[in-house]
Amino acid sequence: MYPEWRKQPFFELHLAWLVQGPKGYDLLFKINPYSLYKTREEALEAAKALLKGERLDQDPRVGRNQAPVLLSPEDRNRFLVLLESGKALLPLDRYALWGEIAWVEERLLHRAPFGDPSNVLHSLKGLPVRLLLTPINDPEAESRELSQGILQLEPEGIRVGGTSLAIPPETPIEGLAYEEAFFDLGEGHYYLYALSSSTPS
């Protein structure tokens, strides 16, 4: 197994605003997008950076929600002290700020040309997959399924079910090992998704 294919340990930072509901707190909105860090200290530093201002609005990459409550310096300090233990819940009127630093194992996105045996298509070889196509020049278009079947790798390309694709050796292949791969050919963006959930670590 190539090192790039292995799951690696990370610390994931989750931040969210909650609102008081009839049975306790409900999610109002998540604040930050998918955030992975190599150490707990890095995740905590990232939380401190997000909490610098008196507002803790949603990251624009996720949405446009605004903080329901402004944070005082005391609120920020209390929240960070709680977060150092791994989880934090700070009630603020009918809202609450929630945070967690969780240990996870994840695969990182890997990119390599088709001619390189470390490209993630090799990790999907022999697995049942779905092959989808989206036109590059029409980003609003829905993906169209071309076929399902066992992925076969050939020197000049791939075969899935009754569909064969020729892939030039220099074509960049991106994806997560044992999970998915995607690449561009001509006017199309191709996706391969593993249908089996039993994947190596």
Side-chain angles (χ1 to χ4, degrees):
M1 184 192 295
Y2 291 91
E4 301 91 341
W5 293 1
R6 294 193 180 105
K7 284 186 176 178
Q8 299 175 41
F10 292 98
F11 290 90
E12 188 171 6
L13 173 65
H14 303 273
L15 293 172
W17 280 107
L18 310 180
V19 62
Q20 186 76 51
K23 296 181 180 178
Y25 285 112
D26 296 318
L27 176 67
L28 185 61
F29 62 83
K30 291 181 180 176
I31 294 164
N32 62 324
Y34 182 74
S35 306
L36 295 177
Y37 302 91
K38 290 301 286 182
T39 66
R40 179 179 291 279
E41 290 70 30
E42 285 177 45
L44 200 54
E45 285 303 313
K48 285 178 184 173
L50 287 169
L51 284 157
K52 273 186 178 165
E54 63 178 16
R55 296 194 68 90
L56 189 52
D57 297 340
Q58 192 170 38
D59 187 295
R61 290 172 291 176
V62 184
R64 296 183 179 175
N65 287 306
Q66 294 192 324
V69 178
L70 298 183
L71 295 170
S72 69
E74 295 77 22
D75 293 334
R76 293 196 293 274
N77 289 336
R78 268 194 306 154
F79 184 77
L80 287 168
V81 167
L82 292 169
L83 192 60
E84 283 178 9
S85 69
K87 287 187 180 182
L89 180 67
L90 182 66
L92 297 163
D93 299 324
R94 57 184 289 257
Y95 299 98
L97 182 57
W98 175 82
E100 180 180 20
I101 296 176
W103 184 86
V104 295
E105 277 195 311
E106 297 281 348
R107 289 188 180 88
L108 290 177
L109 203 63
H110 179 53
R111 179 184 171 101
F114 180 70
D116 184 331
S118 79
N119 85 64
V120 295
L121 285 172
H122 285 266
S123 74
L124 294 165
K125 179 181 176 182
L127 294 178
V129 297
R130 288 177 69 204
L131 176 62
L132 306 172
L133 169 64
T134 304
I136 291 176
N137 55 6
D138 187 2
E140 299 300 315
E142 292 201 14
S143 295
R144 178 168 57 94
E145 182 173 304
L146 298 180
S147 61
Q148 284 193 27
I150 301 297
L151 173 63
Q152 298 173 52
L153 285 186
E154 299 167 349
E156 65 284 350
I158 63 170
R159 180 186 298 276
V160 178
T163 302
S164 291
L165 283 178
I167 305 177
E170 67 280 2
T171 304
I173 309 293
E174 291 185 80
L176 301 173
Y178 306 105
E179 295 174 32
E180 62 182 23
F182 38 95
F183 52 92
D184 294 336
L185 279 182
E187 296 301 310
H189 191 73
Y190 291 86
Y191 299 83
L192 278 153
Y193 293 105
L195 294 172
S196 167
S197 58
S198 56
T199 57
S201 296

